[in-house]
Amino acid sequence: MTEGIVSVTGLIAHGRGEAYDYLLGERTVPEAEAAEAAAAAMLVLAKRPMITINGNAAALAAKELGELSCASGAPMEVNLFHRSDERMAKVISFVEGETGEKVLGRDQGGILPGIASDRSRCTKEGLMAADVVLIPLEDGDRAEAMVKLGKKIISIDLNPLSRTNQEATVSVVDEVTRAVPNITLWVKKLKGDPDQARSVLANYQNKKNLASVMDRICHELKEGHV
Ligand code: ATP
């Protein structure tokens, strides 16, 4: 935060995430494992996959996202909620430094319809052109706007009730630094085998998976495990 990568409200969002992680036992639960495999299958089968990175995702998991980008061929783009030209340059340079990869976002010629203010800005060649977008720790408005444009969304968000998770095609309820390397492992397994990727996706039901995460939290609370 002191370096300007994460905003103050970003830190509060991290706190929300930690609370949910605690309720889930600070581990990758079986529902998350299933969602991570489905997320990888979607990335592998996509025509133009894309990873969008905000300040939260950059600060917590830039390196891991860079590795996923290399494995999946999905380019990274920085999109900020609290946007200024200075902060955009700072976060892009930070992610490039951490990953050694080129990151999109310096030239934001596209607009996500339905989003007020500068945070609607994105790149034409990245986010606007993508069919499948991975959105770690994203806010609900932007997720909804992407879905309205016909994009398939993979969220990574520890709150099973968040609008982002409710909007996503695949909702990964797991801590971002555990989720991303696991998706990368699955990408490596599935990328040479599109039939298996299709079968993983066909057997995955997102709403059912999210409901099961909620049941798990309720059960753990009732049983006094947390
Ligand atoms: P929404 O707008 O989607 O309904 P929100 O208002 O909470 O939810 P944000 O604050 O932009 O939206 O989202 C940040 C989300 O990221 C929160 O749901 C939080 O639980 C989640 N989160 C925070 N830290 C982590 C983490 N380390 N790993 C995964 N998810 C996290």
Side-chain angles (χ1 to χ4, degrees):
M1 190 193 81
T2 52
E3 285 172 31
I5 306 296
V6 174
S7 64
V8 178
T9 49
L11 276 194
I12 298 170
H14 292 186
R16 283 201 289 288
E18 284 188 11
Y20 282 106
D21 203 22
Y22 185 74
L23 294 176
L24 287 163
E26 296 173 322
R27 69 199 165 101
T28 299
V29 295
E31 293 82 1
E33 184 69 42
E36 283 154 12
M42 252 173 73
L43 287 171
V44 160
L45 296 171
K47 286 197 180 73
R48 293 189 72 141
M50 172 76 213
I51 300 172
T52 166
I53 302 185
N54 59 17
N56 289 330
L60 292 171
K63 274 201 173 67
E64 291 87 343
L65 289 165
E67 280 158 19
L68 176 57
S69 173
C70 287
S72 64
M76 293 179 280
E77 170 170 335
V78 166
N79 292 289
L80 299 178
F81 190 98
H82 299 286
R83 188 195 177 287
S84 67
D85 287 343
E86 191 198 354
R87 192 161 168 246
M88 279 298 290
K90 199 178 269 183
V91 177
I92 292 171
S93 302
F94 174 78
V95 178
E96 287 183 339
E98 290 287 299
T99 62
E101 297 293 314
K102 181 97 192 80
V103 174
L104 297 171
R106 286 190 176 87
D107 180 16
Q108 292 182 303
I111 293 281
L112 264 183
I115 303 285
S117 84
D118 265 5
R119 68 197 167 98
S120 64
R121 290 171 64 178
C122 60
T123 72
K124 281 187 178 161
E125 70 277 29
L127 193 58
M128 290 308 275
D131 58 342
V132 169
V133 189
L134 177 80
I135 54 169
L137 285 72
E138 187 56 89
D139 88 290
D141 288 348
R142 279 174 42 93
E144 202 178 334
M146 288 182 226
V147 170
K148 279 196 182 136
L149 279 183
K151 301 184 188 307
K152 287 187 180 154
I153 299 299
I154 302 163
S155 58
I156 301 176
D157 186 331
L158 278 158
N159 177 0
L161 295 171
S162 76
R163 271 195 304 138
T164 305
N165 271 341
Q166 298 298 326
E167 291 284 343
T169 313
V170 172
S171 311
V172 176
V173 182
D174 198 4
E175 207 283 322
V176 66
T177 59
R178 291 195 303 267
V180 176
N182 211 18
I183 297 173
T184 304
L185 276 181
W186 276 105
V187 163
K188 288 178 180 168
K189 275 186 215 165
L190 295 175
K191 77 176 162 188
D193 194 347
D195 284 343
Q196 203 199 337
R198 274 187 280 274
S199 139
V200 167
L201 261 188
N203 288 314
Y204 177 77
Q205 289 176 276
N206 200 53
K207 289 287 172 206
K208 204 169 156 195
N209 204 52
L210 273 175
S212 177
V213 175
M214 283 307 300
D215 285 346
R216 181 179 289 282
I217 291 176
C218 293
H219 178 79
E220 297 283 304
L221 283 168
K222 271 193 204 136
E223 297 299 311
H225 296 154
V226 291

